[in-house]
Amino acid sequence: MRYWLMKSEPSDVSIDDLAAMPNQSVAWYGVRNYQARNFMRDQMKPGDKVLFYHSSCAQPGIAGLAEVSVRAYPDATQFDPRNEYFDPKATPETPRWFNVDVKLVRKTRLMPLSEIRGYPELANMRILQRGNRLSITPVDPLEYAFIVRHL
DNA sequence: GCCAACGTTGGC
DNA sequence: GCCAACGTTGGC
């Protein structure tokens, strides 16, 4: 089993939005970065643990715990010309983008980015490295356990 | 294959 | 809104 941190803009899908979804589950659509796609397509498996992170907002930080509920399949938004994530180079025969489904485990208190930054135990997290923009990053099992213990 | 220009991310 | 950092595009 692996551990991941997944960024979502709360104005798009917040932890409360996730909690309100049918089955408290959501398709992680719209990833248009190859590294993040490859994580979903090649490595993420149902049962993998996810830190649900709020980004690009007033209070960036970890907002809850989730898990992968469905393994990767073609992202439907790439085929829809009216969707903002439409990709003219993708076809159903040769899809380019994939997404997993993610299911809520529990909403937690918000652990702000500033707090994460303050723990020496978490200093190696990808999210803290300068210039990091990747929306899906692997998390070390020890880092994950540390965070859960401090939520 | 190089690399300049451009677009996006995301914290502040 | 600013801007650093990074990824992608496309001409050559």
Side-chain angles (χ1 to χ4, degrees):
Chain A
M1 180 196 298
R2 290 179 169 246
Y3 302 86
W4 307 92
L5 183 144
M6 301 178 81
K7 296 180 191 173
S8 182
E9 301 188 15
S11 59
D12 184 8
V13 180
S14 71
I15 193 78
D16 290 328
D17 294 332
L18 180 60
M21 297 273 181
N23 293 330
Q24 301 191 318
S25 171
V26 69
W28 209 267
Y29 61 83
V31 169
R32 294 294 181 268
N33 170 283
Y34 289 104
Q35 238 184 308
R37 177 204 69 180
N38 292 347
F39 283 142
M40 285 201 283
R41 189 191 58 186
D42 304 334
Q43 299 192 31
M44 294 177 81
K45 296 205 176 74
D48 281 6
K49 304 298 186 189
V50 173
L51 299 169
F52 191 104
Y53 180 91
H54 282 174
S55 69
S56 289
C57 57
Q59 274 273 37
I62 293 164
L65 304 176
E67 63 181 38
V68 177
S69 53
V70 178
R71 74 166 187 277
Y73 57 92
D75 178 338
T77 63
Q78 70 192 306
F79 308 126
D80 177 0
R82 288 179 306 280
N83 193 283
E84 62 170 313
Y85 295 115
F86 176 61
D87 183 342
K89 294 183 179 152
T91 67
E93 293 73 32
T94 56
R96 176 178 294 199
W97 306 109
F98 293 80
N99 65 261
V100 298
D101 284 4
V102 168
K103 185 176 82 173
L104 180 70
V105 172
R106 67 182 169 93
K107 182 181 176 179
T108 64
R109 77 174 175 94
L110 189 105
M111 180 185 280
L113 179 59
S114 56
E115 179 182 343
I116 298 170
R117 201 167 264 138
Y119 294 121
E121 293 90 341
L122 302 180
N124 290 328
M125 287 189 74
R126 290 281 288 274
I127 194 114
L128 299 184
Q129 311 312 314
R130 62 200 288 284
N132 164 67
R133 301 188 322 179
L134 205 52
S135 64
I136 301 175
T137 51
V139 173
D140 185 275
L142 291 176
E143 293 166 345
Y144 180 88
F146 181 89
I147 288 167
V148 169
R149 208 179 316 131
H150 288 76
L151 284 171

